[in-house]
Amino acid sequence: MPANTHMKITFLHTFRDALLVTLLGELTSVYAGFIVFATVGFLAHSLELPVADVITSGPGIGFVVYPEAVSLLPVPQLWSVLFFLVVLMMGFDTMFGTIEAATGCVKDILPRRLHKKHLPTVTAALLMGAVFVCGLIFTNNAGMYMFQLLDWYVGAVICFVVGVLECLVVGWLYGVKRFSVDVEAMIGKRLPVVYKLMCFIIVPALLLTAMILTIASYKPPAYGSYEYPSIAVTIGWCIAVVSVVPIPVTIVIHVLMQRGSFAQRVKTAITPSPEWRRCRQRYGITEDGDVSNNLKESILHVFNR
């Protein structure tokens, strides 16, 4: 089987799986939302209290409010076991994706001579061991306070920044046209206009707006009546930005490794490497007309079918 045909089949399967996983995940979230808030409403009705006085933010709703509501149902032991099994399965599912992504990054970083048969297994075991050791801090008496601090800050910046940069780098540095040609070579179909509009214009704009609103509406963390001291807030912000710091550091290192003036170094740094061009040519992607990339060309190609 030719390499490009095999690649198309592989990516068609990947495309199908990506649609199924996304659809099932979102529908599961909607379904879980109905169940959780219906149960909270049942608890509020049973206690004859407003919903606002029953529900709490953070981990309390999953580990305090919901179990209390389940205990009021018929056969509470069955519902409690089912609920915590669901929580356990969600934790496993989250870790599968996280560890798979981490092992893929480690495999890409390590030299090819170290790509042994059991490398993914060993890497996954080491990463899970590190996660287990780090998770022990949440099992002591101050564990819930530490968890609340991490939960408050860990997604405050990094999710928005990484999402915006992914859209901008792929769409406006690598180029919408190059990316569209690559996708067409992989799955045999061009990117629809609506996808390009959503991925390269609307989504980054929404993420940037959400990040600005999140920072503008920031409030210091609290757990119940406990207010965290200033040192804890400082640690929280360090946690928020620690995942972002490698991005500008890597950019600076990559620019400094190039030769020429500053403008030439930046241009070389954002230009696809010769290895990547050879890889594209291997799968029948020629460089006819898509080597140059500028803002005007990218904008025009977004609206071009």
Side-chain angles (χ1 to χ4, degrees), residues 165-178:
L165 288 179
E166 284 181 348
C167 296
L168 294 181
V169 169
V170 174
W172 306 107
L173 294 183
Y174 183 68
V176 179
K177 188 174 182 179
R178 285 197 187 103

Side-chain angles (χ1 to χ4, degrees), residues 283-303:
Y283 292 98
I285 305 175
T286 61
E287 298 288 348
D288 296 338
D290 71 311
V291 178
S292 62
N293 179 50
N294 54 61
L295 183 60
K296 180 181 178 181
E297 183 181 355
S298 295
I299 293 175
L300 290 175
H301 196 76
V302 168
F303 300 95

